[in-house]
Amino acid sequence: MKVNLSSLDTCESSFTPLVVLELAQDVKEETKEWLKNRIVSKKEDGGAQLLFRPLLNKYEKETLENQNLYLVGASKITLLLGAEAIGLVKECNDNTMRAFTYGMRHNFKDFDDDNNDFLTMAECQFIIKHELENLRAREEKMIPGYPQAKLYPGKSLLRRLLTSGIVIQVFPLHDNEALKKLEDSWYTRFSLKYQPLDRIRGYFGETIALYFGFLEYFTVALIPMAVIGLPYYLFVWEDYDKYVIFASFNLIWSTVILEVWKRGCASMTYRWGTLVMKRQFEEPRPGFHGVLGINPVTGREEPLYPSYKRQLRIYLVSLPFVCLCLYFSLYVMMIYFDMEAWALSLHESSGSEWTSILLYVPSIIYAIVIEIMNRLYRYAAEFLTSWENHRLESAYQNHLILKVLVFNFLNCFASLFYIAFVLRDMKLLRQSLATLLITSQILNQIMESLLPYWLQKKHHVQVKRKVQALKADIDATLYEQVVLEKEMGTYLGTFDDYLELFLQFGYVSLFSCVYPLAAAFAVLNNFTEVNSDALKMCRVLKRPFSEPSANIGVWQLAFETMSVISVVTNCALIGMSPQVNALFPESKLDLILIVVAVEHALLALKFILAFAIPDKPRHIQMKLARLEFESLEALKRQPSENIIEEKAPFTKEAKRENQMKLMAQNLKEDSREGNKEEEA
């Protein structure tokens, strides 16, 4: 009987494997034994108290390839205690959302001692990842067998093993049965229906579910723009004065959809428990390095790096490099305009059908060059941001996003601004916008999903043939799955996906009064994007670890900034139209003043709408306020000693030191009372 992922029991010899850990081929045996002991040891002994075994036993290793692959799982009680440690929020029997505690576990909805479905598989894998990352060095000065891999107290062992190349990768396994059910309800049967966001969240976690939720919401929100833009495109192509209504609708639309998304996002994340999930103290990112010292907040030993050195790297190296890349992007743009001028002169001289087709070639070439430059710059930006040596992962991500957004915005939109406000060629602007939008969408579909899927399909066939050719009397189902998944590409997060939507939002909102058909192309692209991204997540890339998220983060600010820029752009384009200029034949100053006044009025309306629409629905606000009130009441009922302890430093070392002080104080008091009794 073949063994599949769902049918393994939870005893130590045969447990449900949730996470795969791959070691380098030449790892020494003493290192493997040390790592195994640290993973399976009890918490009080500095271990993770997880279940751990090799994928292949000794006989299977001789029969199959000698893979240094290990399976990691956990017992039910370890997972429940881990859920309490990370502050996982679950729904209670009274329909409120509260942080899970093992002692009050029976108060939570759907909990049963015999039920293993209380925690989703994504939550279980996230707990295991948390436990592995919190394996910290104690007395060890180095990794056994590797004197060059230095350790210090408090250092994350997994991160050191990864940076030293001893551990190749750590990834969560797919559950084929659950994945098949998710696929059937998600993308295999093409139909116009909402995505199963709760199932996506249960399988991939909140961060990815929020991306697909935003993609779906943004696509639906684009439909009114597409429906209104189509007749404008067909009937009033050159009547710019009629576009005032369309541009005004676009400005209100871009504000309302972002504010309404905040409300929908708050409702989703409250239901998922991440809106009220307390954020833990953020640990140093894996690539952070510096001189060993004591963190003044946690009291732990960790690398310390002066802030002024980081600032020098940012302003003396990163900033000039980004400016140089921006200059190069503008230089490439000017080459594109030279090509446009050459194609136009050739068409005017010959006037054939071939030369009319040739008019679109410079825009297509430029769109491809833009995609190549964006990808090359992304690698450079990642290297620079890592070299800046940011301590926190959030700081690293914010600096990386800022670098990439600035370059992508200039690279993708500079030519359009130049055509609109310098050349003032509306026909060329429409042509360039359409070509850039459509070409970038086609390239993204091919590079992100179709090409990786074809390569993965080819590799899948090779692995199946290899496993079927084995003459071993063993079940190779799990072996085949692990070997196949370890060769899959790694999902690098939602950065590129949000960036693609951000640029699409710019194409739709910035020049809507010139090319109203942009929203229709965006809708068509996003309908296929949902399915291609779903295919990519389920069949092309490794399953990513779940990450709790309460919103889409800094991307919300990026989209809001783009909507503000679109107000200025659309007002300027309307002010430049021949129909509007004809109203002010003598004084252009009056025209400029009126355009600026209208732009300020629309911006004021935009900010009033943003202020008037609450970020959270009323019922969510009431539930959050009730939780805060109950927390304050519970804090008041605590003894004063507990309150003092709560205000003390958060580390175990600090708590232990406080306990020692109290014991010493009690001993002194006991000795004083003893002396008084002797004197009496």
Side-chain angles (χ1 to χ4, degrees):
M1 178 181 176
K2 288 192 172 182
V3 180
N4 57 45
L5 188 60
S6 302
S7 63
L8 295 172
D9 60 38
T10 55
C11 66
E12 293 200 21
S13 60
S14 179
F15 57 86
T16 303
L18 296 171
V19 175
V20 176
L21 191 146
E22 182 183 7
L23 302 181
Q25 290 295 331
D26 57 348
V27 173
K28 299 177 181 178
E29 288 299 325
E30 61 176 314
T31 309
K32 294 180 184 179
E33 193 62 29
W34 167 78
L35 179 60
K36 176 186 175 182
N37 289 334
R38 291 302 302 268
I39 290 175
V40 302
S41 296
K42 295 182 178 179
K43 289 289 187 69
E44 52 266 28
D45 298 328
Q49 207 163 337
L50 300 173
L51 305 179
F52 182 84
R53 69 173 175 85
L55 173 63
L56 304 176
N57 59 38
K58 186 176 180 181
Y59 165 69
E60 292 170 340
K61 283 184 178 180
E62 294 172 355
T63 309
L64 302 173
E65 290 185 1
N66 186 10
Q67 302 280 355
N68 271 341
L69 295 167
Y70 294 85
L71 304 175
V72 184
S75 62
K76 182 178 179 180
I77 188 170
T78 299
L79 292 172
L80 292 174
L81 292 174
E84 179 178 349
I86 64 175
L88 199 66
V89 175
K90 304 292 282 186
E91 187 177 5
C92 294
N93 291 323
D94 59 357
N95 297 323
T96 59
M97 305 298 295
R98 300 178 189 278
F100 176 79
T101 54
Y102 184 75
M104 305 293 291
R105 59 191 182 278
H106 293 287
N107 292 341
F108 289 85
K109 186 175 287 186
D110 299 328
F111 181 86
D112 193 308
D113 289 325
D114 299 326
N115 182 16
N116 293 323
D117 297 329
F118 177 69
L119 299 175
T120 66
M121 191 173 183
E123 289 170 343
C124 294
Q125 290 169 334
F126 177 69
I127 292 168
I128 290 178
K129 175 175 175 275
H130 177 267
E131 297 295 345
L132 289 174
E133 288 182 340
N134 277 275
L135 277 175
R136 300 189 177 276
R138 306 182 87 184
E139 292 82 14
E140 304 101 325
K141 301 297 182 184
M142 63 176 186
I143 295 176
Y146 294 87
Q148 74 278 9
K150 303 295 183 184
L151 294 173
Y152 52 83
K155 174 67 177 176
S156 173
L157 295 180
L158 181 62
R159 294 176 180 181
R160 190 70 184 94
L161 290 165
L162 286 167
T163 54
S164 301
I166 299 170
V167 173
I168 303 298
Q169 59 180 334
V170 181
F171 63 92
L173 269 175
H174 277 293
D175 186 334
N176 291 326
E177 184 179 342
L179 183 62
K180 186 66 171 64
K181 292 179 180 178
L182 176 62
E183 288 176 321
D184 289 340
S185 62
W186 193 3
Y187 72 92
T188 53
R189 299 172 185 172
F190 183 78
S191 60
L192 297 177
K193 62 180 182 179
Y194 290 110
Q195 298 178 91
L197 294 179
D198 288 333
R199 287 190 177 184
I200 298 171
R201 175 253 173 180
Y203 194 84
F204 289 110
E206 290 80 15
T207 300
I208 292 172
L210 277 177
Y211 161 69
F212 280 101
F214 182 75
L215 173 59
E216 177 182 85
Y217 172 80
F218 182 56
T219 304
V220 174
L222 280 169
I223 293 177
M225 285 286 290
V227 171
I228 296 174
L230 189 60
Y232 268 90
Y233 177 83
L234 295 174
F235 303 116
V236 288
W237 185 244
E238 297 295 342
D239 295 335
Y240 288 93
D241 54 338
K242 294 185 177 65
Y243 286 142
V244 175
I245 301 173
F246 183 72
S248 301
F249 174 78
N250 174 33
L251 302 177
I252 298 173
W253 167 84
S254 62
T255 303
V256 171
I257 65 164
L258 294 175
E259 294 302 318
V260 173
W261 162 253
K262 289 182 185 178
R263 294 170 60 85
C265 179
S267 298
M268 274 195 302
T269 53
Y270 178 81
R271 186 173 73 250
W272 294 342
T274 53
L275 187 64
V276 296
M277 192 173 181
K278 300 297 182 183
R279 186 179 178 184
Q280 293 181 318
F281 183 80
E282 199 168 352
E283 298 290 339
R285 53 184 294 270
F288 179 66
H289 60 273
V291 180
L292 189 64
I294 303 296
N295 186 301
V297 178
T298 64
R300 294 175 181 163
E301 280 190 294
E302 67 175 48
L304 301 178
Y305 189 77
S307 177
Y308 76 90
K309 289 186 178 180
R310 184 179 303 110
Q311 299 301 321
L312 288 176
R313 290 187 174 191
I314 292 173
Y315 291 110
L316 296 183
V317 179
S318 296
L319 184 59
F321 177 80
V322 172
C323 293
L324 182 64
C325 291
L326 296 177
Y327 172 78
F328 180 74
S329 174
L330 293 175
Y331 182 76
V332 172
M333 180 190 74
M334 298 312 297
I335 295 176
Y336 155 66
F337 286 120
D338 291 339
M339 293 173 61
E340 283 282 0
W342 170 79
L344 183 61
S345 63
L346 186 64
H347 176 66
E348 289 176 350
S349 61
S350 64
S352 65
E353 293 183 2
W354 289 106
T355 55
S356 63
I357 297 174
L358 188 64
L359 289 174
Y360 291 91
V361 172
S363 297
I364 294 174
I365 294 175
Y366 184 52
I368 295 172
V369 170
I370 283 176
E371 290 298 320
I372 294 173
M373 290 171 62
N374 285 343
R375 293 181 185 277
L376 291 176
Y377 176 81
R378 170 71 184 275
Y379 294 123
E382 288 177 347
F383 173 80
L384 270 180
T385 312
S386 180
W387 179 72
E388 289 167 5
N389 198 25
H390 296 279
R391 179 183 177 273
L392 301 180
E393 184 66 28
S394 58
Y396 170 84
Q397 290 294 334
N398 289 338
H399 281 79
L400 176 61
I401 289 173
L402 180 61
K403 289 186 182 71
V404 174
L405 281 185
V406 168
F407 181 81
N408 277 259
F409 182 83
L410 186 73
N411 201 26
C412 295
F413 299 115
S415 62
L416 302 178
F417 280 104
Y418 185 83
I419 295 170
F421 299 112
V422 178
L423 300 180
R424 298 192 177 189
D425 188 343
M426 296 300 123
K427 185 176 180 181
L428 179 59
L429 179 60
R430 288 194 296 269
Q431 175 189 316
S432 299
L433 178 58
T435 307
L436 288 174
L437 177 63
I438 297 170
T439 306
S440 64
Q441 289 176 347
I442 294 173
L443 288 175
N444 283 325
Q445 293 284 359
I446 294 173
M447 297 300 296
E448 288 185 5
S449 299
L450 298 180
L451 181 61
Y453 178 71
W454 179 76
L455 294 173
Q456 181 60 31
K457 198 84 172 176
K458 188 176 179 181
H459 176 70
H460 195 171
V461 172
Q462 293 174 351
V463 171
K464 276 188 172 296
R465 288 175 180 172
K466 194 174 184 180
V467 173
Q468 289 171 0
L470 295 171
K471 303 299 183 182
D473 187 21
I474 61 169
D475 174 31
T477 306
L478 185 59
Y479 171 79
E480 178 188 338
Q481 180 187 353
V482 173
V483 171
L484 184 65
E485 289 185 23
K486 85 179 185 69
E487 298 296 333
M488 288 180 172
T490 302
Y491 183 63
L492 300 177
T494 55
F495 183 95
D496 289 326
D497 298 317
Y498 279 119
L499 180 61
E500 184 180 344
L501 289 180
F502 172 78
L503 296 177
Q504 186 185 96
F505 181 68
Y507 285 127
V508 171
S509 62
L510 288 178
F511 304 99
S512 59
C513 64
V514 175
Y515 191 61
L517 208 57
F521 281 113
V523 170
L524 293 175
N525 174 78
N526 289 355
F527 273 123
T528 58
E529 184 79 14
V530 170
N531 292 311
S532 63
D533 282 350
L535 174 69
K536 176 179 68 176
M537 296 300 306
C538 295
R539 293 297 171 187
V540 177
L541 301 175
K542 290 187 187 77
R543 182 180 187 176
F545 279 105
S546 167
E547 288 292 339
S549 294
N551 48 54
I552 62 174
V554 71
W555 290 105
Q556 181 78 32
L557 178 61
F559 278 88
E560 290 173 354
T561 305
M562 180 67 82
S563 68
V564 172
I565 298 173
S566 72
V567 173
V568 181
T569 304
N570 282 280
C571 288
L573 286 172
I574 293 171
M576 288 168 50
S577 66
Q579 288 82 359
V580 176
N581 272 266
L583 301 175
F584 301 90
E586 297 179 357
S587 176
K588 298 299 179 185
L589 180 61
D590 293 342
L591 173 60
I592 294 173
L593 292 176
I594 289 175
V595 169
V596 171
V598 171
E599 174 236 321
H600 279 62
L602 289 172
L603 283 175
L605 176 63
K606 177 180 177 60
F607 290 120
I608 290 171
L609 284 173
F611 179 78
I613 302 175
D615 291 349
K616 299 180 182 68
R618 177 68 176 171
H619 67 281
I620 299 294
Q621 293 180 17
M622 296 298 295
K623 290 177 179 178
L624 293 176
R626 181 176 178 81
L627 283 176
E628 186 177 357
F629 173 76
E630 291 178 355
S631 299
L632 290 173
E633 289 297 309
L635 188 63
K636 290 177 183 178
R637 290 194 293 269
Q638 287 183 352
S640 58
E641 294 84 3
N642 292 344
I643 296 176
I644 294 172
E645 186 178 348
E646 287 284 335
K647 294 182 179 179
F650 300 103
T651 61
K652 293 180 180 179
E653 291 81 4
K655 290 182 179 180
R656 193 179 297 114
E657 185 178 348
N658 289 338
Q659 291 174 355
M660 294 296 291
K661 288 180 180 179
L662 289 172
M663 290 174 62
Q665 187 176 354
N666 292 336
L667 288 173
K668 287 181 181 179
E669 292 177 355
D670 290 344
S671 62
R672 288 174 187 169
E673 291 177 0
N675 293 334
K676 289 179 182 178
E677 290 177 359
E678 289 178 2
E679 290 176 1

